[in-house]
Every structure is written in C-alpha cells, then in structure tokens.
Amino acid sequence: MRPIPLMLMAALAVTGCAAQAARDPVPPPSASAAAPAATAQGSLDGTEWRFVEVNGTAVPGGVNATLRLHGSRASGRTGCNAYGASFETGADGSAKFGQAMSTRMACLTPAGAMQVERGVLDALQHTTRVERNGDNLILLDASGKPLAKLQRQMP
C-alpha cells in the first residue's frame, strides 16, 4: 500500500472523530448546578469506605467491597468486580447513586464474593438516604431500611 492513501485514511478518521465530538459535545456542568452538590457532599467528598454489612448480613472475611466518593463520582469494588457510578446528595441526607457500571467477572473465591456483589449493587441502586455516624456510613432505602453498613477507611 502506498503511504499517501494510508495517511489520507488516517486524516479522514481523525476528522470524522472530531466532527462527531463537535456534534455530540458533553456540556460542562453549570456553576449553579455544581455548587449545591459540592456543598451537600462536602463531608463525604474524598472519603473511602469498606462494606461490613450488606442486607443485614456481615461481609465474609477476605471479601473486599469498597466505596470511594470523589465529587459527584462513586467507585470501588463489589467484592468481585470494580464499579463506578454518579453520586449526589442533598443537605437533608438524601442520596442517589446513578446506574452503576462494572466489570463482569465471576469470582468463585473468596466464598461469598458474588452474593456480596449482588448486595452492593442492589444497595447502590436503592439508596435514597445516607447517614453518617462517626466512622460508619449507612445506606438507607426510601422506607428507612438499612441496605448496607460501611466503615471509613483511611486513604
């Protein structure tokens, strides 16, 4: 193949990607929308947590389920896979995690990892309120039922 057609194809590909970005830009968050979230989440921003209980059941030893909160993002491990989601809180303790995206590996060990994973993802999906009590964070559903209990981890 001659170098000129290859370079031309590369230039067209780059131009096509730039044109797509121009048609579908991601708007930056407005200052008015970002300010309340930052204020409400201030006490949780930059914190790291470990799930110790999910759906009323203790997380088995060796299963590492975590939650990191940074700005409007939540990420961590489900006990098996890694995940990420959007996160927002209100000054009244209301909280909402966006649809979690995660890797999709099956984990046969440690025992209980897949059950914890299902519980973590379910807790994130149904959380409507958070309560912080010292080094503990409780995720609650709309009826006030605890979905998960987490302990603070120092980064």
Side-chain angles (χ1 to χ4, degrees), residues 16-117:
C17 292
Q20 178 67 30
R23 281 193 309 269
D24 300 329
V26 177
S30 67
S32 61
T39 302
Q41 291 173 215
S43 65
L44 294 176
D45 189 24
T47 58
E48 296 186 18
W49 306 86
R50 182 176 55 85
F51 285 85
V52 294
E53 191 176 291
V54 178
N55 293 328
T57 303
V59 172
V63 176
N64 185 31
T66 62
L67 170 65
R68 284 184 301 279
L69 300 171
H70 188 320
S72 62
R73 297 293 307 157
S75 62
R77 299 206 51 85
T78 60
C80 178
N81 288 288
Y83 71 90
S86 61
F87 174 69
E88 57 186 64
T89 60
D92 62 351
S94 62
K96 179 178 170 71
F97 291 92
Q99 180 66 41
M101 295 175 50
S102 71
T103 55
R104 295 284 186 184
M105 298 185 324
C107 298
L108 302 176
T109 58
M114 293 307 296
Q115 290 84 356
V116 170
E117 174 162 313

